[in-house]
Amino acid sequence: MLHLRNVLQLTRGYAAPVRGLAAAVAARSTVSELRAKLVESERKMASLKHAMALHPDPARKRVAVLGAGRSSGPLIRYLLERAEDERWSVLVADANVKLAASKAGDHPAAAAVELDVANKDGLTAILDTADVVVSMLPASMHAPVIEMAIGLGKPVVTASYATPDVRQHDAAAKAAGVPIVMECGVDPGIDHMSAKALIDGIRDAGGDVREFRSYTGGLVAPESTTDNPWKYKLSWNPRNVVLAGRGVSTYLQAGVVKFIPYNKLFSRAKNVVFPDGTTFEAYANRDSLQYIDAYDLASASTVLRGTLRWPGFCEAWDVFVQLGLTDDSFAMEDADRMTYAEFLASFLPWRQSDSVELLLAYQLQQPMFSAVMDKIRWLGLFSDRRINAKGSPARILELLLQHKWRLRPGDRDLIGMLHKIAYVDANGEAREKISALKIKGSATDPDMTAMATTVSLPVAIMTKRILNGETFGPGVVIPTERNIYKPILAELADDFGISFEDSDIPLVGGIHSDHFPTLVSQPEPSAAIEGSL
């Protein structure tokens, strides 16, 4: 039996560790309490900052910028560079509050808050403090924002199309005396403004427009295409790239309305040559017919708006359209367990003995190492790499392109725009105005791409003009009126070097509408391919 003395001797060696453990527990408790107090302090500070953001200096006019994504950087920079002189404050709101804060920076006139468009109370609080609302949100989110802004009597400026769900608020905006300025980016936006300036100039000189063609493309600069056989990289929303052209494209050709369904769109691309000799290919862009009224082109027998790509893109992209890889109407539940080769093979007729490359070559009637097959191979769609994602075919393709088509450090993007307007002048002579724009983005500042700059600067300039008391509308308007487009085009040219090179030439042989010819044609079946299957 142990005596008390022995017990004390045995436990003496544990006394210090026990005291240390007790101290550690106490310290841990103290740290936990301090951490909880810090979290609570940060919460209160965030709440205070949010309250301050939503209650700006009444001496300043307030801009609420909704969306801090790819194209918002030059817009926010423009507003903040002028904020002190103009006495503005800028609230940047985004679902990703850290992204919003990064765009607002530490500028004393800027604040950032979290945005949830579905939270009506939160959205109301943001819009209610604004003198102008700028929406850089995805197009599907504009309508509820615009509806609420009209109810609060707030003007709205955005770069997106005036879709039917936006135009349905036109009467309410007019009744409220509120301008809703849509299509104030690059395409749509600068294309409208520059085209209408040309058309109005022709009319002012007594001319009559007979044919109108306009093309715009968000591309990558030639020097940044050497590592990518598609010659395409993402400078805007990748989802919009994948879904581009869906529906039916319409235009007017020699007085006849033409329709191009989605499954024919990319196979009916045509070559377009700029005045400097640069060749692109173009496909019809959405509904060109709506711009007959917008541009006042009742006398024109041809009205066409198109989208530009580098040659070879459309033929390869058409493969994805024909196979169904751009379909966004259903989810592939097992896609996360597939390889990219299995994903592609799931859209091809099955032959157990053939590789997916051979199956696709046979389906396309293309040689195994044609330019089209090389583009698809380069994307990794024949590889055994796992997808590790679920979603629609379009979503899976989008995720792949986000990786393969990303702009790398030092890359420069390119905006190209071309107007060709055939007209009869006051003397009865047939002539053609040609107006071309090429703008490259920064190689060093990822926020200052050509796409972001040309999308957001017209929005910024329009916002400034409303803040400074100029009146427009009311109702849903696009920038086709002189009082809107002339000052914007002038500032873009004078302050940012965004200007067109124009020429005006006689049309030998008069005006005649050509068709919208097929550029891409399928090659004859290869005997080698047929023999191997």
Side-chain angles (χ1 to χ4, degrees):
M1 181 177 294
L2 291 173
H3 293 287
L4 178 60
R5 181 184 302 170
N6 300 118
V7 173
L8 290 173
Q9 287 176 344
L10 287 170
T11 58
R12 188 174 296 141
Y14 294 97
V18 168
R19 285 195 299 271
L21 179 60
V25 170
R28 184 175 299 170
S29 176
T30 302
V31 169
S32 297
E33 290 173 2
L34 289 173
R35 184 178 289 116
K37 289 180 179 179
L38 180 60
V39 169
E40 177 63 15
S41 177
E42 289 177 344
R43 187 193 66 77
K44 289 181 178 179
M45 181 61 71
S47 178
L48 178 61
K49 286 182 177 179
H50 189 271
M52 292 174 64
L54 296 180
H55 295 84
D57 180 350
R60 290 176 177 267
K61 290 190 175 180
R62 162 63 69 91
V63 185
V65 178
L66 310 185
R70 289 172 182 259
S71 295
S72 67
L75 159 71
I76 295 168
R77 189 175 301 187
Y78 178 100
L79 295 173
L80 292 179
E81 285 174 350
R82 293 157 179 79
E84 291 306 314
D85 290 341
E86 299 281 357
R87 300 294 294 164
W88 298 336
S89 61
V90 180
L91 178 65
V92 184
D94 194 275
N96 182 342
V97 71
K98 289 184 178 179
L99 179 62
S102 71
K103 294 293 174 70
D106 57 0
H107 196 288
V113 294
E114 186 174 357
L115 172 67
D116 179 2
V117 174
N119 181 343
K120 290 188 176 181
D121 290 341
L123 182 60
T124 299
I126 291 171
L127 301 190
D128 197 33
T129 66
D131 293 286
V132 180
V133 177
V134 177
S135 181
M136 302 298 283
L137 297 169
S140 61
M141 296 184 180
H142 289 317
V145 169
I146 287 170
E147 182 178 14
M148 183 174 290
I150 292 170
L152 295 170
K154 308 297 183 179
V156 178
V157 184
T158 181
S160 295
Y161 280 101
T163 54
D165 63 335
V166 168
R167 288 193 178 276
Q168 70 178 346
H169 299 297
D170 179 57
K174 287 176 177 175
V178 173
I180 307 297
V181 185
M182 305 294 297
E183 306 192 13
C184 203
V186 58
D187 177 7
I190 294 175
D191 56 348
H192 296 335
M193 294 182 258
S194 53
K196 197 58 165 47
L198 293 170
I199 293 166
D200 288 345
I202 290 170
R203 292 232 171 80
D204 290 346
D208 189 28
V209 174
R210 301 296 176 83
E211 295 182 356
F212 173 84
R213 296 177 179 82
S214 177
Y215 309 95
T216 305
L219 307 155
V220 64
E223 62 268 29
S224 298
T225 63
T226 56
D227 61 343
N228 180 334
W230 288 81
K231 296 185 177 181
Y232 193 84
K233 296 182 182 180
L234 295 169
S235 59
W236 60 304
N237 190 326
R239 180 170 177 79
N240 291 346
V241 174
V242 173
L243 300 181
R246 294 176 66 84
V248 178
S249 296
T250 57
Y251 63 98
L252 186 68
Q253 186 70 49
V256 178
V257 175
K258 297 289 187 178
F259 302 90
I260 308 181
Y262 179 55
N263 67 322
K264 297 293 184 182
L265 183 63
F266 294 95
S267 65
R268 288 179 59 179
K270 65 170 288 186
N271 277 350
V272 172
V273 182
F274 272 51
D276 65 1
T278 305
T279 299
F280 298 98
E281 61 188 29
Y283 60 88
N285 181 10
R286 301 192 184 211
D287 177 17
S288 296
L289 302 181
Q290 64 179 305
Y291 296 101
I292 294 175
D293 289 337
Y295 292 177
D296 193 16
L297 291 173
S299 63
S301 61
T302 294
V303 178
L304 169 68
R305 298 174 75 248
T307 298
L308 298 173
R309 293 289 182 262
W310 286 110
F313 178 94
C314 289
E315 183 181 11
W317 187 258
D318 190 50
V319 172
F320 297 153
V321 174
Q322 299 307 319
L323 291 179
L325 269 62
T326 61
D327 195 323
D328 198 42
S329 65
F330 68 96
M332 299 181 68
E333 296 298 334
D334 296 330
D336 58 328
R337 295 195 292 271
M338 289 182 177
T339 66
Y340 280 102
E342 290 168 341
F343 167 68
L344 181 58
S346 67
F347 291 88
L348 293 167
W350 184 74
R351 286 172 65 99
Q352 186 174 11
S353 60
D354 293 333
S355 69
V356 66
E357 289 186 66
L358 200 59
L359 286 172
L360 183 62
Y362 180 73
Q363 178 78 5
L364 302 179
Q365 294 295 285
Q366 288 264 356
M368 283 283 284
F369 292 96
S370 67
V372 169
M373 290 291 289
D374 286 346
K375 288 181 176 67
I376 295 170
R377 186 178 295 108
W378 180 85
L379 284 177
L381 281 168
F382 301 143
S383 77
D384 291 329
R385 187 163 68 90
R386 292 241 171 235
I387 293 174
N388 294 322
K390 291 184 178 181
S392 68
R395 175 59 177 163
I396 292 166
L397 181 59
E398 175 192 342
L399 292 172
L400 175 63
L401 298 181
Q402 283 182 7
H403 170 66
K404 296 294 289 188
W405 282 358
R406 69 185 183 278
L407 285 168
R408 290 173 169 78
D411 278 345
R412 304 180 72 183
D413 70 323
L414 170 72
I415 292 292
M417 188 177 295
L418 178 69
H419 303 303
K420 301 183 75 174
I421 304 176
Y423 70 101
V424 176
D425 69 12
N427 299 318
E429 181 182 9
R431 303 188 65 84
E432 184 175 47
K433 276 191 178 292
I434 301 173
S435 185
L437 170 73
K438 283 186 182 178
I439 296 292
K440 290 183 181 180
S442 170
T444 57
D445 187 344
D447 279 343
M448 299 300 287
T449 62
M451 178 65 76
T453 299
T454 54
V455 166
S456 65
L457 284 180
V459 171
I461 296 168
M462 190 68 196
T463 301
K464 176 187 70 174
R465 296 175 66 195
I466 295 175
L467 287 169
N468 288 344
E470 295 187 55
T471 57
F472 306 94
V476 176
V477 298
I478 64 174
T480 54
E481 298 299 323
R482 296 176 200 243
N483 67 321
I484 298 179
Y485 72 68
K486 288 184 73 174
I488 294 177
L489 290 176
E491 184 169 341
L492 289 173
D494 295 343
D495 294 353
F496 301 99
I498 300 174
S499 59
F500 288 76
E501 294 185 4
D502 297 340
S503 60
D504 193 320
I505 60 174
L507 280 176
V508 179
I511 298 172
H512 57 281
S513 291
D514 61 352
H515 62 302
F516 199 73
T518 298
L519 168 67
V520 181
S521 59
Q522 296 293 341
E524 292 298 317
S526 166
I529 292 177
E530 290 184 337
S532 65
L533 297 176

Coordinates of all heavy atoms in Angstrom, one line a residue, residues 238-239 242-243 246 262 317 320-321 323-335 338 340 343-344 346-347 381 387 389-401:
P238 N -17.5 34.5 -70.7 CA -17.4 33.2 -71.5 C -18.7 32.6 -71.7 O -18.8 31.9 -72.8 CB -16.5 32.4 -70.6 CG -16.6 32.9 -69.2 CD -16.8 34.4 -69.4
R239 N -19.6 32.7 -70.9 CA -21.0 32.1 -71.1 C -21.6 32.7 -72.4 O -22.2 32.0 -73.2 CB -21.9 32.3 -69.9 CG -23.3 31.7 -70.1 CD -24.0 31.6 -68.8 NE -25.4 31.1 -69.0 CZ -25.7 29.8 -69.1 NH1 -24.7 28.9 -69.0 NH2 -26.9 29.4 -69.3
V242 N -20.1 31.2 -75.5 CA -20.6 29.9 -75.8 C -22.0 29.9 -76.4 O -22.3 29.2 -77.3 CB -20.5 29.0 -74.6 CG1 -21.2 27.6 -74.8 CG2 -19.1 28.8 -74.2
L243 N -22.8 30.8 -75.9 CA -24.2 30.8 -76.3 C -24.5 31.8 -77.4 O -25.7 32.0 -77.8 CB -25.1 31.2 -75.1 CG -25.1 30.2 -73.9 CD1 -26.0 30.7 -72.8 CD2 -25.4 28.8 -74.3
R246 N -27.5 32.1 -80.6 CA -28.7 31.2 -80.4 C -30.0 31.9 -80.9 O -30.1 33.1 -80.8 CB -28.8 30.8 -78.9 CG -27.7 29.9 -78.5 CD -27.8 29.6 -77.0 NE -28.9 28.8 -76.7 CZ -29.0 27.4 -76.8 NH1 -27.9 26.8 -77.2 NH2 -30.0 26.8 -76.5
Y262 N -30.0 29.0 -86.0 CA -28.7 28.8 -85.3 C -27.9 27.7 -85.9 O -26.7 27.9 -86.0 CB -29.1 28.5 -83.8 CG -27.9 28.3 -82.9 CD1 -26.8 29.2 -82.8 CD2 -27.8 27.1 -82.2 CE1 -25.8 29.0 -82.0 CE2 -26.7 26.9 -81.3 CZ -25.7 27.8 -81.2 OH -24.7 27.6 -80.4
W317 N -16.0 26.3 -84.9 CA -17.1 26.4 -83.9 C -18.4 25.8 -84.3 O -19.1 25.2 -83.5 CB -17.3 27.9 -83.6 CG -18.3 28.1 -82.4 CD1 -19.6 28.5 -82.5 CD2 -18.0 28.0 -81.0 NE1 -20.1 28.6 -81.2 CE2 -19.2 28.3 -80.3 CE3 -16.8 27.7 -80.3 CZ2 -19.2 28.2 -78.9 CZ3 -16.9 27.6 -79.0 CH2 -18.1 27.9 -78.3
F320 N -19.1 22.3 -82.9 CA -19.8 22.3 -81.5 C -21.3 22.5 -81.6 O -22.1 21.9 -80.9 CB -19.1 23.3 -80.6 CG -17.7 23.1 -80.3 CD1 -16.8 24.1 -80.0 CD2 -17.1 21.8 -80.4 CE1 -15.5 23.9 -79.8 CE2 -15.8 21.6 -80.2 CZ -15.0 22.7 -79.8
V321 N -21.7 23.4 -82.5 CA -23.1 23.7 -82.7 C -23.8 22.5 -83.2 O -24.9 22.1 -82.7 CB -23.3 24.9 -83.6 CG1 -24.8 25.1 -83.9 CG2 -22.7 26.2 -83.0
L323 N -22.9 19.3 -83.2 CA -22.9 18.1 -82.3 C -23.8 18.3 -81.1 O -24.3 17.4 -80.5 CB -21.5 17.9 -81.8 CG -20.4 17.4 -82.8 CD1 -19.1 17.2 -82.1 CD2 -20.9 16.1 -83.4
G324 N -24.1 19.6 -80.7 CA -24.9 19.9 -79.5 C -24.1 20.3 -78.3 O -24.7 20.3 -77.2
L325 N -22.8 20.6 -78.5 CA -22.0 20.9 -77.3 C -22.3 22.3 -76.8 O -21.8 22.7 -75.7 CB -20.5 20.8 -77.7 CG -19.8 19.4 -77.4 CD1 -20.5 18.4 -78.2 CD2 -18.3 19.5 -77.7
T326 N -23.0 23.1 -77.5 CA -23.4 24.4 -77.0 C -24.9 24.4 -76.5 O -25.4 25.5 -76.2 CB -23.3 25.5 -78.2 OG1 -24.2 25.1 -79.2 CG2 -21.9 25.6 -78.7
D327 N -25.4 23.3 -76.3 CA -26.8 23.1 -75.8 C -26.8 23.4 -74.3 O -26.0 22.8 -73.6 CB -27.3 21.7 -76.1 CG -28.8 21.6 -75.9 OD1 -29.4 22.3 -75.0 OD2 -29.5 20.9 -76.7
D328 N -27.7 24.3 -73.9 CA -27.8 24.7 -72.5 C -29.1 24.2 -71.9 O -29.5 24.7 -70.8 CB -27.6 26.2 -72.3 CG -27.2 26.6 -70.9 OD1 -26.4 25.9 -70.3 OD2 -27.7 27.6 -70.4
S329 N -29.8 23.4 -72.5 CA -31.2 23.0 -72.1 C -31.3 21.8 -71.2 O -32.4 21.5 -70.7 CB -32.1 22.8 -73.4 OG -31.6 21.7 -74.1
F330 N -30.2 21.1 -71.0 CA -30.3 19.9 -70.1 C -28.9 19.7 -69.4 O -27.9 20.2 -69.9 CB -30.6 18.7 -70.9 CG -29.5 18.2 -71.9 CD1 -28.6 17.2 -71.5 CD2 -29.4 18.7 -73.2 CE1 -27.7 16.8 -72.4 CE2 -28.5 18.3 -74.0 CZ -27.6 17.3 -73.7
A331 N -29.0 19.0 -68.3 CA -27.8 18.8 -67.5 C -27.3 17.3 -67.8 O -28.0 16.4 -67.9 CB -28.0 19.0 -66.1
M332 N -25.9 17.2 -67.9 CA -25.3 15.9 -68.0 C -24.9 15.4 -66.6 O -23.8 15.8 -66.1 CB -24.1 16.0 -69.0 CG -24.5 16.4 -70.4 SD -23.1 16.4 -71.5 CE -22.7 14.7 -71.7
E333 N -25.7 14.7 -65.9 CA -25.5 14.4 -64.5 C -24.2 13.6 -64.3 O -23.6 13.7 -63.2 CB -26.7 13.6 -64.0 CG -28.0 14.4 -64.0 CD -27.9 15.7 -63.1 OE1 -27.1 15.7 -62.1 OE2 -28.6 16.6 -63.4
D334 N -23.8 12.8 -65.2 CA -22.6 11.9 -65.0 C -21.3 12.6 -65.6 O -20.3 11.9 -65.6 CB -22.8 10.6 -65.7 CG -23.9 9.8 -65.0 OD1 -24.2 10.0 -63.8 OD2 -24.6 9.0 -65.7
A335 N -21.4 13.8 -66.0 CA -20.3 14.4 -66.7 C -19.0 14.5 -65.8 O -17.9 14.4 -66.3 CB -20.6 15.8 -67.1
M338 N -16.8 11.7 -66.4 CA -16.3 11.4 -67.7 C -15.0 12.1 -68.0 O -14.6 13.0 -67.3 CB -17.3 12.1 -68.7 CG -18.6 11.4 -68.9 SD -19.6 12.3 -70.2 CE -21.1 11.3 -70.2
Y340 N -12.8 14.1 -71.1 CA -13.2 14.9 -72.2 C -13.5 14.1 -73.5 O -14.4 14.4 -74.2 CB -12.2 16.1 -72.4 CG -12.4 17.2 -71.5 CD1 -11.5 17.3 -70.4 CD2 -13.4 18.1 -71.6 CE1 -11.7 18.3 -69.5 CE2 -13.6 19.1 -70.7 CZ -12.7 19.2 -69.6 OH -12.9 20.2 -68.7
F343 N -16.8 12.6 -73.0 CA -17.8 13.7 -73.2 C -18.1 13.9 -74.7 O -19.3 13.9 -75.1 CB -17.3 14.9 -72.5 CG -18.1 16.2 -72.9 CD1 -19.4 16.4 -72.5 CD2 -17.5 17.2 -73.6 CE1 -20.1 17.5 -72.8 CE2 -18.1 18.4 -73.9 CZ -19.4 18.5 -73.5
L344 N -17.1 14.1 -75.5 CA -17.2 14.3 -76.9 C -17.8 13.1 -77.6 O -18.7 13.2 -78.4 CB -15.9 14.6 -77.5 CG -15.9 14.9 -79.0 CD1 -16.8 16.1 -79.4 CD2 -14.4 15.2 -79.5
S346 N -19.9 11.0 -76.4 CA -21.3 10.8 -76.1 C -22.2 11.5 -77.1 O -23.4 11.3 -77.1 CB -21.6 11.3 -74.7 OG -21.4 12.7 -74.6
F347 N -21.6 12.4 -77.9 CA -22.4 13.1 -79.0 C -22.2 12.6 -80.4 O -22.6 13.2 -81.3 CB -22.1 14.6 -78.9 CG -22.5 15.3 -77.7 CD1 -21.8 15.4 -76.6 CD2 -23.8 15.9 -77.7 CE1 -22.2 16.0 -75.4 CE2 -24.2 16.6 -76.5 CZ -23.5 16.6 -75.4
L381 N -10.2 18.0 -76.2 CA -11.4 17.2 -76.2 C -11.2 15.8 -76.6 O -12.2 15.0 -76.6 CB -12.4 17.9 -77.2 CG -13.1 19.1 -76.6 CD1 -13.9 19.9 -77.6 CD2 -14.1 18.7 -75.5
I387 N -13.3 15.6 -66.4 CA -14.0 16.9 -66.5 C -14.2 17.4 -65.1 O -14.0 18.6 -64.8 CB -15.4 16.7 -67.1 CG1 -15.2 16.4 -68.6 CG2 -16.2 18.0 -67.0 CD1 -16.4 16.0 -69.4
A389 N -16.8 18.1 -63.3 CA -17.8 19.2 -63.3 C -19.1 18.6 -63.8 O -19.1 17.7 -64.7 CB -17.4 20.4 -64.0
K390 N -20.2 19.1 -63.3 CA -21.5 18.8 -63.9 C -22.2 20.0 -64.5 O -21.7 21.1 -64.3 CB -22.4 18.3 -62.7 CG -22.1 17.0 -62.1 CD -23.1 16.5 -61.1 CE -22.7 15.2 -60.5 NZ -23.7 14.7 -59.5
G391 N -23.2 19.7 -65.3 CA -23.9 20.8 -65.9 C -24.3 20.5 -67.3 O -24.2 19.3 -67.8
S392 N -24.8 21.5 -68.0 CA -25.2 21.3 -69.4 C -24.0 21.1 -70.3 O -22.8 21.5 -69.9 CB -26.0 22.5 -69.9 OG -25.1 23.7 -70.0
P393 N -24.1 20.6 -71.5 CA -23.0 20.6 -72.4 C -22.3 22.0 -72.6 O -21.1 22.1 -72.6 CB -23.6 20.1 -73.7 CG -24.8 19.3 -73.3 CD -25.3 20.0 -72.1
A394 N -23.2 23.0 -72.7 CA -22.6 24.4 -72.9 C -21.8 24.8 -71.7 O -20.7 25.4 -71.8 CB -23.8 25.4 -73.1
R395 N -22.2 24.4 -70.5 CA -21.5 24.8 -69.3 C -20.2 24.0 -69.2 O -19.1 24.6 -68.8 CB -22.3 24.4 -68.0 CG -21.6 24.6 -66.7 CD -21.2 26.1 -66.5 NE -20.6 26.3 -65.2 CZ -19.8 27.3 -64.9 NH1 -19.6 28.3 -65.7 NH2 -19.3 27.4 -63.7
I396 N -20.1 22.8 -69.6 CA -18.9 22.0 -69.6 C -17.9 22.6 -70.6 O -16.7 22.7 -70.3 CB -19.2 20.5 -69.8 CG1 -20.0 19.9 -68.7 CG2 -17.9 19.7 -70.1 CD1 -20.6 18.6 -68.9
L397 N -18.4 22.9 -71.8 CA -17.6 23.5 -72.8 C -17.1 24.9 -72.3 O -15.9 25.2 -72.5 CB -18.4 23.7 -74.1 CG -17.6 24.3 -75.3 CD1 -16.4 23.5 -75.6 CD2 -18.5 24.5 -76.5
E398 N -17.9 25.7 -71.6 CA -17.5 27.0 -71.1 C -16.4 26.8 -70.1 O -15.4 27.6 -70.2 CB -18.7 27.6 -70.4 CG -18.4 28.9 -69.7 CD -19.6 29.4 -68.8 OE1 -20.7 28.9 -69.0 OE2 -19.3 30.2 -67.9
L399 N -16.4 25.9 -69.2 CA -15.4 25.7 -68.2 C -14.1 25.3 -68.9 O -13.0 25.8 -68.5 CB -15.8 24.6 -67.2 CG -17.0 25.0 -66.3 CD1 -17.4 23.7 -65.5 CD2 -16.6 26.1 -65.4
L400 N -14.1 24.5 -69.9 CA -12.9 24.2 -70.7 C -12.3 25.4 -71.3 O -11.1 25.6 -71.3 CB -13.2 23.1 -71.7 CG -12.1 22.7 -72.6 CD1 -10.9 22.1 -71.8 CD2 -12.6 21.7 -73.7
L401 N -13.2 26.2 -72.0 CA -12.7 27.4 -72.7 C -12.1 28.4 -71.7 O -11.2 29.2 -72.1 CB -13.8 28.0 -73.5 CG -14.4 27.0 -74.6 CD1 -15.5 27.7 -75.4 CD2 -13.3 26.6 -75.6

